[in-house]
Amino acid sequence: METKNYTLADVEPTYRPMIINGEDAQASSGETFTRLSPAHEIEVTSFPKGTQEDVDRAVTSARQALDHGWRQSTGAQRSKLLLKVADLVRRDAEQLALAETLETGKPITQSRNEVASTAELWEYAASLARNTQGDAHNALGPDTLALVVHEPIGVIGMITPWNFPLLIISQKLPFALAAGNTAVIKPSESTSATTVMLGQLIREAGFPAGVVNIVTGNRVVGAAIAEHPGIDMISFTGSTGVGKGIAAAAGRDLKKVELELGGKNPQIVTANADFNAAVDAGVFGGYFNVGQCCNSGSRLIVHRSIADEFAAAVVDRAQHMRVGDPLKSDTLVGSLVNDAQLAVVERYVAEGREAGANLLTGGGRLDNGLGGGRFYQPTVFTDVTAKMSIATDEIFGPVLSVLPFDTLEEAIGIANSTSFGLSAGIWSNDINEALTAARDLRAGTVWVNRWMDGYPEVPFGGYGQSGIGRELGRQALAEFSELKTIQLQVGARDSRWVDAPDAPRR
C-alpha cells in the first residue's frame, strides 16, 4: 500500500467542469463555487454552479444516449467498458485518494482503501452485466409460453452525499449501467471532485456520450433532478429527512426511488464475547471517518457485568488515537466535513450532558496546529439511557454511547428501540445467542463477531427510516431494472368470442 505523506506544497487548486453529453460543460449561469479543505482551510477545488437548465441539458443527453444505442447494447459490451473503468480507477488511485482526502478531511490511508474498493465495485458490476437472466414459464398450457425479462428503467437520477463520495456513487452507477440505464448525477457540493474525476475516467474508457452526465451545484440541482419529468428513477444516499423530501418530489411523477438513509447502529456485546475484538470494533465503528458514517456503530450495548471494564478499555483506545492532519499516513481520525456538522456534534454532546449521561472522555474540539480544521475529540458517554437523544438520533460525529443490559432480550429491545434499521451487530461466543440476535434484530445487515465489513456481492440497505431498496449484490441489478412479462401464443389459437352466440360485442 502507498505510504506517501503529502504536504500543502503538493496541493494546487483545480477547476473541474461538469460533464454533459460526454463533454466538459460550464454552468449556464456562468457561476462557480469553491471548496476549501475542511482540515487545512485552503482552496482545493472549484466547480460550475449548475442550474435547472443544466439539468435539462443533462437529461436530454441521457435520454438520447439511452434511446439511440445504449439500451440496445449487449451485456458483453457493457461489461468490457465497466472493467476498463476499474482499470483506470486503479491507474489513478493516488490522485483520486488525494482529492478525496482534501475535500472530505478523511485520512489518506482511508481514502486509498476506498479507492481500491471502488475498483472492485466496478469489476463486480461488470460480471453482472453478462449475467442478466429472466424466467420462462412453460407449464401454463399447451398453447402458451410466458417470458419474464429484465429491462433498463431508463434515465436514473443519482444524488450522493459528502462522506464517501467516490465509494457511494460506485455503489450505484456501475450497477445501473450494467442494467442498461443512463444517468444524471449530482454529487455533494462539499465533495464533488472524485465524482467528476470518475466521470472523466468513464469518458476515457469509451462510454458513449450522454450515458453518464454529472451536474455540480447545490440543492437547486438536486431538486431539479428529483422533480424532472424526464428522469425515471431516483437513487439517493443521505439523511433521512432529505430522503423523505426527495421521495415526495419523485412521488408526484411516480418515479421509482432507491433510498439509502440514516442509521443509529447498535453493537451488542455479551459477557462471553471476545473482549479485545469487541473493544476494537467498538472504537473502529464509532470513530471511522470521524463517525460520519451511516454504518457507525455508535451504540455499544454491553452486558452489565463487563460494561464498566469495556467502557474503560474503549476510553483508553480513544485517548491514544492519532487525530490530526489527514495528509499524514499515520493519522487515524481526520476532520469533520464542515462547521455545520461540527455544530451538530457539539449540540448533541451538550444534550447528552444535560440529560445526565456521564462524559468519560472527549467532548470538545482539538487544535492540531493546522491553522483551522474541524477536529473533534473521540468521545465516550456512559450512564446513557435508550431514550436520550445521543442514543436515538444519528449524530454523524465521533460520539459513542455505552448502554448496559442484563438479558439478551433486553439488549435486542434496546437495539430495536430507534426508528432506524440499517445495521446491527452481536458479539458472542454462544451460537444460540448469536443466532437469536441475528434473527430478531431489525436491520438490513447484522454482523456477528465483526463490524462494518462490506463486499460487492452482498446487498446493502435498511429497514424503517434507514431507507428503501438495496444496493450491491445481484439485487442491485434488479433494483435498476423493470420486469416485463411477454406471453406468447404457441400454435393455432381457438376463438373465445367469435363463435360464442351470446358473447358481448363492442
Side-chain angles (χ1 to χ4, degrees), residues 42-94:
I42 62 167
E43 180 180 336
V44 291
T45 40
S46 58
F47 307 91
K49 189 174 182 180
T51 65
Q52 171 76 59
E53 181 180 338
D54 299 321
V55 172
D56 290 341
R57 288 193 291 146
V59 172
T60 298
S61 172
R63 180 66 59 188
Q64 290 175 342
L66 179 76
D67 293 339
H68 296 89
W70 187 247
R71 186 195 295 272
Q72 295 79 26
S73 62
T74 67
Q77 291 169 328
R78 298 171 199 161
S79 179
K80 290 175 182 177
L81 291 171
L82 294 167
L83 287 171
K84 181 63 174 176
V85 174
D87 290 341
L88 294 173
V89 167
R90 290 195 175 98
R91 184 197 70 186
D92 291 356
E94 194 62 13

Side-chain angles (χ1 to χ4, degrees), residues 73-83 123-133 174-175 177-180 477:
S73 62
T74 67
Q77 291 169 328
R78 298 171 199 161
S79 179
K80 290 175 182 177
L81 291 171
L82 294 167
L83 287 171
E123 280 183 339
Y124 177 67
S127 73
L128 295 179
R130 301 192 72 150
N131 286 280
T132 303
Q133 299 175 353
F175 297 91
L177 297 176
L477 204 63

Side-chain angles (χ1 to χ4, degrees), residues 323-397:
V323 182
D325 188 350
L327 293 176
K328 294 183 177 179
S329 294
D330 59 352
T331 295
L332 292 178
V333 180
S335 169
L336 290 163
V337 73
N338 54 35
D339 289 333
Q341 194 56 37
L342 174 61
V344 169
V345 174
E346 291 176 329
R347 174 170 62 82
Y348 274 109
V349 169
E351 287 181 7
R353 300 182 75 168
E354 291 168 5
N358 179 29
L359 180 64
L360 286 186
T361 191
R365 295 187 63 168
L366 284 170
D367 180 3
N368 284 286
L370 294 179
R374 286 89 178 156
F375 300 99
Y376 200 85
Q377 296 170 325
T379 299
V380 180
F381 279 106
T382 57
D383 298 334
V384 179
T385 64
K387 293 186 177 181
M388 290 181 182
S389 63
I390 57 172
T392 60
D393 297 356
E394 185 178 42
I395 300 174
F396 239 54

Side-chain angles (χ1 to χ4, degrees), residues 157-484:
M158 299 182 180
I159 303 171
T160 55
W162 44 259
N163 55 341
F164 298 94
L166 182 62
L167 196 65
I168 288 176
I169 189 58
S170 297
Q171 291 180 180
K172 304 175 185 292
L173 181 58
F175 297 91
L177 297 176
N181 300 285
T182 58
V184 175
I185 302 164
K186 180 216 173 287
S188 167
E189 59 267 38
S190 295
T191 55
S192 300
T194 51
T195 301
V196 175
M197 293 168 73
L198 178 64
Q200 293 167 338
L201 298 183
I202 290 168
R203 180 170 58 192
E204 182 180 347
F207 275 78
V211 171
V212 175
N213 305 271
I214 300 171
V215 182
T216 55
N218 57 20
R219 65 185 62 187
V220 170
V221 174
I225 289 174
E227 297 169 359
H228 202 290
I231 286 180
D232 303 296
M233 174 182 173
I234 300 293
S235 178
F236 168 78
T237 297
S239 72
T240 297
V242 175
K244 289 179 179 179
I246 286 175
R252 288 193 280 273
D253 289 324
L254 291 181
K255 291 182 178 70
K256 183 177 181 180
V257 294
E258 182 269 319
L259 306 173
E260 198 280 285
L261 307 177
K264 189 64 177 178
N265 312 293
Q267 296 196 62
I268 297 173
V269 183
T270 67
N272 62 65
D274 182 329
F275 187 88
N276 290 329
V279 169
D280 184 67
V283 172
F284 174 73
Y287 304 135
F288 175 69
N289 208 44
V290 208
Q292 298 171 132
C293 178
C294 59
N295 266 333
S296 176
S298 57
R299 289 188 295 157
L300 301 176
I301 304 172
V302 187
H303 193 274
R304 196 176 302 276
S305 66
I306 62 169
D308 290 344
E309 180 185 5
F310 191 89
V314 170
V315 166
D316 182 65
R317 296 275 189 96
Q319 291 176 341
H320 288 88
M321 298 185 75
R322 185 178 294 276
V323 182
D325 188 350
L327 293 176
K328 294 183 177 179
S329 294
D330 59 352
T331 295
L332 292 178
V333 180
S335 169
L336 290 163
V337 73
N338 54 35
D339 289 333
Q341 194 56 37
L342 174 61
V344 169
V345 174
E346 291 176 329
R347 174 170 62 82
Y348 274 109
V349 169
E351 287 181 7
R353 300 182 75 168
E354 291 168 5
N358 179 29
L359 180 64
L360 286 186
T361 191
R365 295 187 63 168
L366 284 170
D367 180 3
N368 284 286
L370 294 179
R374 286 89 178 156
F375 300 99
Y376 200 85
Q377 296 170 325
T379 299
V380 180
F381 279 106
T382 57
D383 298 334
V384 179
T385 64
K387 293 186 177 181
M388 290 181 182
S389 63
I390 57 172
T392 60
D393 297 356
E394 185 178 42
I395 300 174
F396 239 54
V399 181
L400 283 171
S401 296
V402 179
L403 297 85
F405 73 90
D406 294 301
T407 67
L408 183 62
E409 181 181 12
E410 179 189 5
I412 294 170
I414 295 171
N416 290 339
S417 65
T418 75
S419 59
F420 297 106
L422 188 59
S423 61
I426 172 74
W427 292 85
S428 175
N429 286 320
D430 182 325
I431 187 64
N432 290 322
E433 282 187 330
L435 290 177
T436 296
R439 179 193 64 199
D440 293 344
L441 286 165
R442 297 284 298 165
T445 297
V446 177
W447 283 289
V448 179
N449 294 329
R450 60 198 308 162
W451 187 260
M452 217 185 294
D453 296 316
Y455 302 92
E457 298 86 350
V458 180
F460 174 67
Y463 290 16
Q465 300 292 304
S466 289
I468 299 171
R470 292 294 182 269
E471 296 180 344
L472 308 182
R474 290 180 292 105
Q475 291 78 4
L477 204 63
E479 200 73 47
F480 290 110
S481 300
E482 292 279 18
L483 285 181
K484 176 182 284 184

